[in-house]
Amino acid sequence: AHNRVRQTLEHLLPLRERLQILSAPGPMGADLLADMGFDAQVVGQLTNPPHTSADDTETIARQMHQQGVDLLLFAGGDGTARNICNQLDSTQLVLGIPAGVKIHSGVYAVTPSAAGDVVAKMLTGELVSVRQAEVRDIDESAFRQGKVRAQHYGEMQVPDELTYVQS
């Protein structure tokens, strides 16, 4: 996940002075941001550092939403999208950096670089429209039996840029 997030953030390095970043602690974001020269305010804490959990994801997503972030940028797969969807209302703008093993949700950019391009376009005023996108995940038991069954878990608001964001 760190390599994919790094690919995203590389697109934002020239714009870093325009960003006010809230980050999850340590291995969930703050460490990488510091390594890349971004200033970030750390939100929340890990329950069992240095390990991370779904509970950490949900708690920190909720805390960031409560602080009024303009965009919640996250990395992971459909399970991570589900965790975040569990905590947010449909007004929170989100964008996923694809870093998981399953990506069936429309809240992810098509590549990590595309995620960086979308955020850069937002910062420069080139992209201002949003749309609702589905959060889906597959039934892993059925998948192990050779069947793909995707279940709908909710919707979240994403930047409306179908060149860069999954449909």
Side-chain angles (χ1 to χ4, degrees):
H2 275 105
N3 289 337
R4 294 187 180 194
V5 174
R6 182 179 296 277
Q7 290 171 15
T8 299
L9 295 175
E10 285 171 350
H11 290 255
L12 303 177
L13 281 168
L15 302 168
R16 72 176 151 219
E17 301 304 320
R18 299 171 102 176
L19 294 167
Q20 180 180 2
I21 300 175
L22 302 182
S23 174
M28 287 184 78
D31 292 348
L32 179 60
L33 287 161
D35 287 347
M36 293 184 72
F38 287 93
D39 289 325
Q41 174 188 341
V42 175
V43 174
Q45 56 189 12
L46 302 179
T47 54
N48 185 24
H51 306 286
T52 63
S53 69
D55 287 340
D56 292 331
T57 299
E58 290 194 12
T59 300
I60 294 166
R62 182 176 60 253
Q63 291 170 343
M64 287 187 178
H65 176 65
Q66 290 168 343
Q67 290 194 29
V69 295
D70 294 323
L71 172 70
L72 183 66
L73 184 65
F74 65 94
D78 290 323
T80 305
R82 284 175 56 188
N83 295 139
I84 290 172
C85 187
N86 287 340
Q87 298 301 314
L88 304 180
D89 62 37
S90 62
T91 63
Q92 177 65 61
L93 187 62
V94 302
L95 181 62
I97 301 167
V101 295
K102 305 174 293 176
I103 305 291
H104 295 274
S105 299
V107 298
Y108 283 95
V110 294
T111 66
S113 293
D117 288 341
V118 169
V119 176
K121 284 177 176 288
M122 292 173 67
L123 288 169
T124 59
E126 296 175 57
L127 179 63
V128 294
S129 60
V130 298
R131 67 178 170 85
Q132 290 295 112
E134 294 181 340
V135 174
R136 293 191 165 271
D137 201 356
I138 63 170
D139 178 334
E140 292 188 32
S141 297
F143 185 70
R144 285 186 206 97
Q145 297 171 1
K147 300 173 188 165
V148 177
R149 287 190 204 133
Q151 182 175 342
H152 179 264
Y153 286 91
E155 294 188 359
M156 293 193 288
Q157 200 170 158
V158 298
D160 190 13
E161 178 52 78
L162 289 178
T163 303
Y164 298 102
V165 181
Q166 302 219 28
S167 60

